[in-house]
Amino acid sequence: MKVKMANRKKAWLVSTAAAFLGAAFLANSLLSSPEERTGQTSRAVLSGTAQNPVPPVNAEPSSSIGQPPATGEGVHQPLSKRIVEYHINVEYSPENQKLLGQQTVTWKNPGSQPVQELYMHLYPNAFASEKTTFMKESGGKLRRDEAKKGSFGDMELRSIKTEDETDLSSAMQFVQPDDGNPDDRTLIKITLPKPVAAGAAITLHTDFAVKLPQVFARMGITKDFVMAGQWFPKLAVYEPAGTRGRTAEGWNLHQYHGNSEFYADFGIFDVRVKVPADYIVAATGFPTKNPVVEAGKKTYQFYADDVHDFAWSASPNFKVFEEPYAAPNLPGVKIKLYLDPKHEPYKSRYMIAAKKALSRYSQWYGTYPYSTLSIVVPPEEANGAGGMEYPTLVTAWGASEGTPDLDLERVVVHEIGHQFWYGLVATNEFEEAWLDEGFTSYTEDKLMELEYGSKPNLPVEASYITSPAALQKNAWSYRSHSEYADNVYTRAKLVLKEIEHRVGLNTMDRIMKTYFQRWKFKHPGTRDFQTVVEEITKTKWTEFFDQYVYGSMMTDYAVDNIRIRQTNESGQSLYESSVLVRKFGGTVPAVPIRFHFADGSTTEKVWDGQGEQIEYKLTHKSPVDWVSLDPKYTMKLENRHINNYMKTEVDTTWRIRWTLGVVKLLETLFDTVAW
């Protein structure tokens, strides 16, 4: 998900006084310092119609589920292990704002032990009351969006049966492994009649109903706009031993929390969506045939493989535009825009942003492997559905009045970045959100600077981080949404920028590409990324990761004291300036220091950053009149610039002028960073 640009602005505006002063001193020093597509069938559907139709919803599960990649002429090689296979029929009824669905799901046991229970996420139950874990943690707010008073949503499993018609309704039990909240019904345990052996599969048939709330937190309805995200009963992930460092296999089980996003296995989705005849549907995957109209209803059928989720959106008002696109490292993809009418004049901007993102990300990391990418632009009042990623489908901000600024492009390229880190690498967003959000934010910045000339102000962004916390941490363990966002988006991005600064851009590019290529479709963890960093650089990064990733440190070096002593050598009057520099945070290998003398001359030194402090003694014909640490802002994780600069003495008149100058520059900085 894209954190709201306004959320960043809000983070700036509500920063503590210390952070504000840090930016002020930063501003002063600025003034003072000179200077393989998933199955080849879908590659063949740029016309929008598959040459090889998928089985109907009630067909037997695909023989490829859970199987290793097949080879041979005419056989399409799966890109993932395909642990799950979903066949779903769903109908949207605008009269009661409900989804009625039938689902056949097959799960293959990827472990080495028999499994007696299955677990399903029933995400719409997060909106069932004000007592759910999601609502209590979020206070009914997410980003700038707020739940409409009296508008609730839920999911009901009306039946669940095995292939032999055994009814499992009495074997279902809601569980709350994270907080024990009895009012939270977002995770359900299903005890099976007999265990599923290692390597064996089980198929379940379910009927379900979803009451959609008013659009909030990624899903719901507004007037005749529908966003169906996390809308079907979705199997949890059973992790084999070795997954993300796990020592014993087992289920990864979490409720739907105020901050957390999602984690699921790769597989196959065959979905039929029935809506009123005048509705247009955008969805994950590609259509397998033209929509069928019957009795005032229109049925769409979509197929996707080697994906771990399925989302769709519908409205009678969409303005639809499609363009095929190919580039080096990108054999061919159909880009589809589903625009709210207000933003029809900006269709070329959306399309160009999508092309730039797909081309660059495929060049930098690896080929986008799917045949379609859909971009949904919701109406302004449905902005709660905006800025979100799903496999092969992303949503932009709601279509507000007026000419949009660069936020339009920024959100599109951010969400398409998620197609790589969320969609293909598919990390566990419950427990290690930084591996998706931080990586995508880093990727977004790189593209926006290269393609649009929009360079981030990293020193100012670092000053946002007033409550640093560990990155490898459960999303709901952060104390607030602001703390969550500041760390898994901004601080995580700065961690990657610091690595880039230390190793150089070319080596960083190798790190990111190697990590992506090695771990796509495999659910890696933080230590898997650390291993890649150490392998490419041939250096141990234990201290760095312990401080900045597993720990909560920021960089903090300070000019602590300046003392001047006048001396006389060989009849010449000299000054001995003693400057004490101290470390209060994490370590960096090089701390640049600039000493400025009263006669206008300067000297530069670099401290290796080790130990708690270092004292420099400089003998010169003039005294040191100011000292600046890191004047070019190379320490990406330095967030307390307030103590990076010290003047030997400041007279009252200059102090007043200096303060006013800082205020004026801060006004300029606000304009720069309030995206």
Side-chain angles (χ1 to χ4, degrees):
M1 185 206 311
K2 175 66 178 172
V3 162
K4 296 273 191 191
M5 303 304 171
N7 199 33
R8 293 185 180 180
K9 180 179 179 181
K10 180 181 178 183
W12 169 264
L13 293 173
V14 301
S15 292
T16 63
F20 181 86
L21 288 173
F25 275 83
L26 166 62
N28 174 66
S29 53
L30 280 167
L31 284 171
S32 300
S33 307
E35 329 265 320
E36 332 143 319
R37 163 70 192 134
T38 54
Q40 296 170 9
T41 50
S42 47
R43 275 286 177 219
V45 297
L46 289 180
S47 64
T49 303
Q51 296 178 359
N52 302 307
V54 298
V57 168
N58 294 323
E60 289 297 314
S62 166
S63 60
S64 68
I65 186 168
Q67 298 299 319
T71 57
E73 186 174 349
V75 178
H76 305 303
Q77 180 173 319
L79 301 178
S80 70
K81 292 183 179 179
R82 298 188 180 179
I83 301 299
V84 293
E85 180 171 341
Y86 291 88
H87 297 272
I88 309 173
N89 283 323
V90 63
E91 179 174 356
Y92 170 61
S93 173
E95 294 78 20
N96 56 17
Q97 301 175 350
K98 278 193 172 184
L99 305 178
L100 296 179
Q102 303 85 42
Q103 172 174 289
T104 297
V105 59
T106 300
W107 175 80
K108 181 173 180 178
N109 181 356
S112 60
Q113 303 295 323
V115 174
Q116 184 84 47
E117 301 91 14
L118 296 183
Y119 291 84
M120 284 185 170
H121 296 286
L122 309 186
Y123 287 118
N125 282 337
F127 313 111
S129 76
E130 295 176 353
K131 297 180 180 180
T132 69
T133 295
F134 180 94
M135 295 296 281
K136 288 171 68 175
E137 290 180 354
S138 69
K141 300 177 182 179
L142 189 65
R143 305 184 294 188
R144 285 185 301 181
D145 304 297
E146 189 168 351
K148 305 297 186 295
K149 192 169 182 62
S151 175
F152 296 103
D154 59 44
M155 172 181 279
E156 177 188 0
L157 276 186
R158 294 182 168 178
S159 71
I160 182 163
K161 297 179 181 180
T162 62
E163 285 281 81
D164 63 5
E165 295 293 309
T166 301
D167 188 345
L168 300 181
S169 299
S170 61
M172 298 189 303
Q173 176 188 358
F174 288 105
V175 293
Q176 302 84 19
D178 298 325
D179 64 3
N181 177 8
D183 294 304
D184 189 84
R185 298 160 71 91
T186 57
L187 185 64
I188 196 167
K189 172 184 175 181
I190 304 164
T191 303
L192 302 173
K194 60 180 181 180
V196 182
I202 185 172
T203 298
L204 298 179
H205 302 279
T206 66
D207 286 351
F208 64 95
V210 176
K211 174 68 172 69
L212 294 170
Q214 290 292 304
V215 168
F216 167 65
R218 311 179 183 95
M219 72 171 295
I221 57 101
T222 294
K223 298 178 183 177
D224 49 10
F225 172 84
V226 181
M227 185 69 230
Q230 310 304 327
W231 57 280
F232 60 94
K234 187 160 69 170
L235 284 166
V237 177
Y238 187 85
E239 297 182 317
T243 304
R244 301 184 310 110
R246 187 168 188 147
T247 57
E249 65 185 73
W251 290 100
N252 188 268
L253 301 175
H254 298 297
Q255 300 152 241
Y256 193 3
H257 291 271
N259 287 330
S260 71
E261 293 190 28
F262 312 103
Y263 181 42
D265 268 319
F266 288 95
I268 295 170
F269 288 83
D270 173 28
V271 181
R272 291 174 177 165
V273 181
K274 183 182 288 189
V275 292
D278 60 340
Y279 276 55
I280 299 166
V281 174
T284 292
F286 59 92
T288 60
K289 58 183 179 182
N290 292 326
V292 176
V293 178
E294 186 177 14
K297 299 283 188 178
K298 185 185 292 185
T299 301
Y300 293 78
Q301 184 164 342
F302 298 92
Y303 175 83
D305 52 24
D306 297 313
V307 298
H308 51 77
D309 200 359
F310 189 99
W312 57 274
S313 182
S315 170
N317 304 313
F318 283 143
K319 299 294 183 181
V320 182
F321 302 90
E322 300 182 355
E323 288 187 21
Y325 178 65
N329 306 298
L330 186 65
V333 61
K334 178 183 281 187
I335 303 172
K336 303 180 179 183
L337 299 181
Y338 297 83
L339 296 173
D340 180 83
K342 285 182 185 176
H343 272 210
E344 184 176 0
Y346 312 115
K347 61 182 181 295
S348 62
R349 290 179 58 183
Y350 285 104
M351 193 67 74
I352 290 170
K355 291 175 180 178
K356 288 178 182 292
L358 285 171
S359 176
R360 287 296 185 184
Y361 299 157
S362 293
Q363 171 192 346
W364 294 339
Y365 309 122
T367 299
Y368 177 78
Y370 307 112
S371 68
T372 60
L373 174 71
S374 296
I375 302 168
V376 173
V377 181
E380 184 174 12
E381 60 272 21
N383 202 44
M388 189 59 196
E389 69 280 355
Y390 308 93
T392 80
L393 183 148
V394 301
T395 62
W397 286 157
S400 57
E401 297 284 357
T403 303
D405 60 16
L406 205 56
D407 287 2
L408 183 153
E409 285 81 5
R410 183 177 290 278
V411 174
V412 170
V413 303
H414 180 95
E415 302 308 336
I416 294 176
H418 276 303
Q419 294 298 307
F420 292 79
W421 306 115
Y422 150 85
L424 294 172
V425 176
T427 48
N428 184 336
E429 293 185 285
F430 292 130
E431 299 176 2
E432 299 179 277
W434 85 281
L435 289 173
D436 175 41
E437 300 297 356
F439 279 54
T440 301
S441 297
Y442 171 88
T443 298
E444 164 205 332
D445 275 3
K446 184 177 178 181
L447 187 139
M448 291 300 294
E449 183 172 356
L450 179 66
E451 295 288 353
Y452 292 97
S454 177
K455 187 174 182 179
N457 193 325
L458 298 180
V460 174
E461 289 188 43
S463 72
Y464 298 161
I465 313 301
T466 57
S467 298
L471 298 181
Q472 191 190 38
K473 185 174 182 177
N474 293 336
W476 57 95
S477 297
Y478 294 95
R479 295 177 298 177
S480 65
H481 182 71
S482 291
E483 184 176 274
Y484 166 80
D486 287 351
N487 282 279
V488 306
Y489 289 82
T490 306
R491 197 170 85 83
K493 176 184 71 175
L494 294 171
V495 164
L496 296 177
K497 290 296 292 184
E498 177 65 24
I499 296 174
E500 177 192 298
H501 172 68
R502 296 189 188 192
V503 304
L505 181 58
N506 289 340
T507 299
M508 188 64 178
D509 287 346
R510 286 176 55 211
I511 288 170
M512 298 293 278
K513 186 167 188 174
T514 300
Y515 174 68
F516 176 84
Q517 291 290 341
R518 181 176 299 173
W519 288 105
K520 59 185 178 181
F521 302 107
K522 294 177 182 175
H523 308 306
T526 298
R527 293 195 183 277
D528 297 313
F529 176 63
Q530 181 179 348
T531 297
V532 171
V533 174
E534 294 180 339
E535 176 185 308
I536 296 299
T537 62
K538 297 179 172 56
T539 304
K540 283 294 183 184
W541 285 73
T542 303
E543 181 183 53
F544 179 89
F545 275 77
D546 285 348
Q547 289 183 344
Y548 298 117
V549 178
Y550 310 121
S552 59
M553 286 189 177
M554 294 291 286
T555 303
D556 185 13
Y557 288 87
V559 183
D560 191 67
N561 191 19
I562 302 174
R563 290 179 292 109
I564 308 296
R565 185 172 69 90
Q566 190 171 6
T567 64
N568 190 294
E569 293 185 13
S570 304
Q572 182 181 11
S573 179
L574 298 174
Y575 294 87
E576 182 183 86
S577 301
S578 298
V579 179
L580 181 64
V581 179
R582 298 182 63 185
K583 179 177 72 176
F584 295 100
T587 303
V588 297
V591 183
I593 308 170
R594 177 175 297 162
F595 302 88
H596 188 276
F597 297 92
D599 62 2
S601 62
T602 62
T603 189
E604 311 271 347
K605 294 186 180 295
V606 177
W607 180 26
D608 65 9
Q610 300 300 309
E612 297 302 315
Q613 63 183 47
I614 187 170
E615 186 173 23
Y616 290 92
K617 293 188 176 182
L618 300 94
T619 300
H620 190 72
K621 60 183 179 180
S622 296
V624 164
D625 65 347
W626 57 259
V627 177
S628 176
L629 303 185
D630 193 28
K632 295 182 180 179
Y633 308 104
T634 60
M635 300 188 298
K636 307 305 181 186
L637 287 158
E638 173 70 75
N639 68 328
R640 295 190 70 243
H641 299 94
I642 189 172
N643 55 20
N644 282 19
Y645 178 86
M646 180 176 284
K647 291 188 72 68
T648 305
E649 60 181 10
V650 183
D651 65 42
T652 304
T653 302
W654 169 240
R655 183 181 295 117
I656 293 172
R657 291 176 180 172
W658 174 84
T659 303
L660 291 175
V662 169
V663 170
K664 293 302 293 181
L665 184 55
L666 280 175
E667 290 174 358
T668 303
L669 287 174
F670 272 119
D671 290 338
T672 302
V673 303
W675 300 298

